[in-house]
Amino acid sequence: MPSNYITKVAIIGAGGRSGGAMTTELLKTGKHTVTAITRQDSTSALPDGVQVAKVDYDDEATLVEALKGQDALVITMGTTAPADTQSKLIRAAGEAGVKWIAPNFWGADTANPGLCKDVFFFGKTDATRHEIKKLGKSSYIAIVTGFWYEWSLAIANSYGFDFENKTVTFFDEGETKVNTSTWRQVGRAVAALLSLPIKAEGGDQEHCLDHFRDQMVYISSFTVNQRDMLASVLRVTGDKESDWTIKKEGAVERYEAAAVEMKKGDRAAFARWMYTRVFYADDSGHYGKTMGLANELLGLPEEDIDEATKIAMERAEGDPYA
């Protein structure tokens, strides 16, 4: 009789920031064997305790072989990955008999029509969901996390904070609430989801994977606006608000201006364009309000935003993109 629990998890990007956190939290449960799927020439450091399967992404047979016997596949990839990589993995997972896939959806709510219309690549996630369902061999759990707090706060073009010059640019009045998550919280969410029974046990119809089958799952660390972020920065640094220069820029105007700069080849404008759209006053970035959160159901802890702010500020002192 097949087990009612996932025990074997394959992960793409186990050596990355988000994938590493997921791998670490999965291993902490003591319930999972975690296999990192890596390229043949990868030299990425991996968390202790993870198994390794090396593949050639241009040879589907190696992907299928690496995924055989796995219960779930978690995909985390950077924006520089070839566009067809996720599709290759989905097809190989289906061929290998992997029943559950967490696709590379980490970030904003890609089921929000307004976001998908205005940020073109968010809309591409619908094709991924459709592909998984059309193949009919796996089910997906798409986890919406908001932007990563430690990453985004450290980069001026993202959440608007320039730590070197003690300057913050508020989008509109800096009062638009958004959901944002730490890497550890995302890792805990993945571990909690994949530790649930597949089918309901004891009459509890919510605490099982079937409850989330082919659904978007919304989790978050903090529901904050830019003024809340600044308040955290001031607590961490001991600064006064008067020590900082506060600028204001209309969110719509900032988004539209960034779109123009992108067309001129300004790569830095991409982050301004994408992030600012999430801060529109239409609650597109506040999915906790519009869609509800699974935090309580998954047993996710409340976090200390000041601790996360410290991490972001340390990152800003070096290379925040590293």
Side-chain angles (χ1 to χ4, degrees):
M1 184 175 180
S3 172
N4 195 35
Y5 287 84
I6 286 174
T7 59
K8 295 183 179 180
V9 181
I11 184 163
I12 309 298
R17 286 171 292 267
S18 59
M22 296 174 202
T23 301
T24 297
E25 294 298 329
L26 281 164
L27 290 169
K28 276 185 184 179
T29 69
K31 301 175 181 178
H32 307 283
T33 300
V34 181
T35 300
I37 307 297
T38 69
R39 297 181 182 277
Q40 297 284 355
D41 58 352
S42 175
T43 57
S44 295
L46 298 170
D48 291 339
V50 68
Q51 299 185 5
V52 180
K54 292 188 176 290
V55 299
D56 178 353
Y57 279 93
D58 293 322
D59 183 353
E60 184 178 359
T62 68
L63 293 172
V64 173
E65 184 62 29
L67 292 171
K68 281 182 179 177
Q70 300 293 331
D71 300 315
L73 170 62
V74 178
I75 304 174
T76 72
M77 298 186 302
T79 56
T80 58
D84 63 346
T85 301
Q86 181 154 245
S87 183
K88 288 179 178 180
L89 288 164
I90 289 167
R91 294 195 303 271
E95 186 68 23
V98 179
K99 298 301 183 185
W100 296 89
I101 298 174
N104 193 47
F105 285 6
W106 328 98
D109 180 9
T110 57
N112 181 284
L115 283 181
C116 291
K117 174 178 175 292
D118 292 342
V119 184
F120 62 88
F121 64 87
F122 286 164
K124 294 180 179 180
T125 61
D126 186 58
T128 299
R129 294 191 291 267
H130 179 73
E131 181 177 15
I132 294 171
K133 295 190 75 171
K134 185 177 180 181
L135 284 172
K137 296 180 179 181
S138 311
S139 297
Y140 71 80
I141 300 177
I143 304 171
V144 178
T145 64
F147 293 123
W148 300 320
Y149 185 75
E150 313 98 305
W151 171 274
S152 304
L153 187 65
I155 297 171
N157 277 328
S158 299
Y159 280 167
F161 284 77
D162 178 349
F163 287 102
E164 183 178 359
N165 295 302
K166 290 192 176 184
T167 299
V168 58
T169 300
F170 285 160
F171 314 147
D172 296 326
E173 295 297 317
E175 296 176 347
T176 301
K177 295 280 189 181
V178 299
N179 290 102
T180 183
S181 297
T182 66
W183 286 311
R184 284 198 66 191
Q185 189 81 316
V186 176
R188 286 187 288 255
V190 170
L193 277 165
L194 298 186
S195 296
L196 292 171
I198 296 170
K199 297 188 178 300
E201 295 181 344
D204 185 347
Q205 298 299 315
E206 288 191 336
H207 287 79
C208 63
L209 280 175
D210 273 349
H211 177 67
F212 297 107
R213 187 185 295 272
D214 296 334
Q215 299 292 326
M216 308 291 283
V217 181
Y218 297 85
I219 68 103
S220 176
S221 293
F222 315 115
T223 303
V224 289
N225 57 37
Q226 288 175 291
R227 291 184 181 273
D228 297 326
M229 297 178 199
L230 177 59
S232 177
V233 170
L234 298 181
R235 289 193 299 270
V236 169
T237 59
D239 287 347
K240 298 177 181 178
E241 187 171 305
S242 58
D243 296 325
W244 279 67
T245 299
I246 298 176
K247 300 179 180 179
K248 295 179 182 179
E249 188 173 356
V252 174
E253 291 77 13
R254 182 181 172 91
Y255 167 86
E256 292 177 346
V260 172
E261 293 305 310
M262 284 169 58
K263 290 178 181 178
K264 295 178 180 178
D266 182 357
R267 296 181 63 183
F270 173 79
R272 294 197 301 276
W273 174 76
M274 176 178 66
Y275 273 85
T276 306
R277 177 59 185 85
V278 173
F279 280 87
Y280 274 22
D282 59 359
D283 288 327
S284 55
H286 191 182
Y287 54 77
K289 175 182 177 181
T290 59
M291 305 303 295
L293 298 176
N295 284 39
E296 183 176 352
L297 192 153
L298 296 175
L300 300 182
E302 292 187 9
E303 295 175 277
D304 183 342
I305 191 171
D306 292 353
E307 289 299 319
T309 296
K310 287 179 186 177
I311 294 171
M313 292 181 65
E314 289 169 0
R315 290 177 51 78
E317 290 177 359
D319 179 1
Y321 296 96

